[in-house]
Amino acid sequence: MFRDVAVVLDDRFQHLFKGSARLEKLYEGCRWAEGPAYFPAGRYLVWSDIPNDRMMRFDETSGSVSVFRHPAGYSNGNSVDRQGRLVTCEHGHRRVTRTEHDGSITVLASHHEGRRLNSPNDVVVKSDGSIWFTDPAYGIDSDYEGHKADSEVGACHVYRVDPHSGDLRVVADDFVRPNGIAFSPDETRLYVADTGATHVKDGPRHIRVFDVDADGNLTNGKVFATCTAGLFDGFRLDEAGRIWTSAGDGVHCYDPDGTLIGKILVPEGVANLVFGGPKRNRLYICATTSLYAIMLPVNGARTF
């Protein structure tokens, strides 16, 4: 039962779950499950299994799982744009791509100022069509999640692709290892995780938040929350602006004021998650080797 896996840390979490809900394991057999993206038109989910260099597909109507793409360029984070197209961060090819409706691949970003990107990690598409992504070096650190190589950029940044010109620019350059990324429901704030603790002693293990202006500039950056179990990775927001984020012991839920109000305990370390289902109230969870889901009485922020 849900109450066996729910931890209430604040009364505000009480109405965010149902006692009859269950955490369901939908699939197991990945090496590192990441980057879930939900397609409402087809009622299916696509996610990455990075070390196995494949993307998987879960059919919500039948419960069946199949291989969506293999090889997959060691894909990591995925998103869906407002036209229903898949946008993917590829560690192996060190680029961000879009899969068109006819199946062809469009490269959206691969170089900055003539230098190859490190290994794009997570991506989100704003309602104006701009594409925002993080670029740590996890995919070039070793051959496990990509291809071992030196960084040409020499640092790990957050980028924005202009929706009209396609120009790529750095919007944040003071991260150690930028990771998960998402906008607030009204898109006036951008949240970005920093998992620098994987490579720097006592390094960051937090989510930062920025104000976003109409021109795509970030200001007033500050730490929103620091992870209390492992590291934050990917996360998404619900309609009320609460953050549902991955952590070492499951999914942590943060109120917009930065208070950790509750947890969903998951038997494996969580990497990423997304709201799906016809009402955006089924939380899909990529956790190490498996895909999980749970129905919630809250709805994910509208992104499609």
Side-chain angles (χ1 to χ4, degrees):
M1 301 293 288
F2 192 102
R3 290 187 183 277
D4 295 330
V5 297
V7 177
V8 178
L9 301 174
D10 186 288
D11 287 344
R12 287 172 286 184
F13 193 66
Q14 290 283 0
H15 70 285
L16 305 184
F17 65 90
K18 292 289 186 181
S20 59
R22 295 179 180 272
L23 181 68
E24 309 165 82
K25 180 181 282 191
L26 305 176
Y27 178 80
E28 61 182 345
C30 297
R31 281 199 169 96
W32 182 248
E34 260 278 18
Y38 181 77
F39 292 80
R43 292 194 61 186
Y44 63 89
L45 182 90
V46 169
W47 81 95
S48 299
D49 180 6
I50 307 175
N52 284 324
D53 192 17
R54 63 180 182 171
M55 298 172 75
M56 307 298 291
R57 181 183 187 274
F58 171 75
D59 187 324
E60 193 174 62
T61 64
S62 66
S64 64
V65 174
S66 58
V67 175
F68 176 78
R69 181 178 293 164
H70 175 73
Y74 290 93
S75 68
N76 189 337
N78 297 285
S79 190
V80 181
D81 69 11
R82 301 302 169 111
Q83 290 72 46
R85 298 170 296 188
L86 174 67
V87 179
T88 300
C89 292
E90 300 180 12
H91 277 187
H93 295 133
R94 299 167 71 168
R95 66 186 187 179
V96 179
T97 63
R98 182 177 64 223
T99 301
E100 308 297 345
H101 292 303
D102 64 3
S104 61
I105 303 295
T106 298
V107 178
L108 302 173
S110 60
H111 292 72
H112 181 252
E113 296 182 344
R115 299 180 179 90
R116 295 187 72 187
L117 298 172
N118 295 320
S119 52
N121 188 284
D122 199 8
V123 61
V124 64
V125 183
K126 200 167 180 277
S127 61
D128 65 1
S130 59
I131 297 163
W132 302 63
F133 66 93
T134 57
D135 185 42
Y138 293 117
I140 59 174
D141 283 338
S142 72
D143 289 322
Y144 190 74
E145 294 187 14
H147 307 295
K148 187 176 181 179
D150 294 328
S151 172
E152 296 183 17
V153 177
C156 301
H157 300 320
V158 182
Y159 293 90
R160 175 185 182 270
V161 180
D162 186 89
H164 306 295
S165 66
D167 290 342
L168 179 66
R169 67 180 175 94
V170 175
V171 292
D173 60 3
D174 58 346
F175 280 80
V176 180
R177 292 271 167 148
N179 205 314
I181 186 170
F183 282 99
S184 61
D186 63 5
E187 298 184 331
T188 62
R189 294 180 300 278
L190 180 72
Y191 297 87
V192 183
D194 194 336
T195 49
T198 58
H199 283 67
V200 177
K201 183 179 180 181
D202 299 322
R205 53 180 70 243
H206 54 231
I207 292 173
R208 292 168 62 189
V209 60
F210 301 84
D211 292 332
V212 186
D213 69 19
D215 296 321
N217 299 306
L218 303 183
T219 57
N220 303 321
K222 63 180 180 180
V223 173
F224 171 77
T226 299
C227 194
T228 60
L231 298 169
F232 296 131
D233 194 330
F235 53 90
R236 289 294 179 258
L237 283 77
D238 64 24
E239 286 185 329
R242 291 175 291 254
I243 286 186
W244 298 76
T245 179
S246 59
D249 57 354
V251 176
H252 291 191
C253 181
Y254 283 85
D255 190 78
D257 68 6
T259 303
L260 176 60
I261 60 175
K263 301 181 181 183
I264 300 171
L265 300 181
V266 179
E268 303 179 74
V270 174
N272 217 320
L273 49 88
V274 72
F275 286 94
K279 298 181 179 179
R280 307 188 311 280
N281 65 340
R282 191 179 195 188
L283 188 66
Y284 288 100
I285 303 166
C286 284
T288 312
T289 68
S290 307
L291 175 69
Y292 296 85
I294 191 164
M295 293 290 291
L296 299 174
V298 298
N299 308 88
R302 183 177 292 278
T303 57
F304 48 75

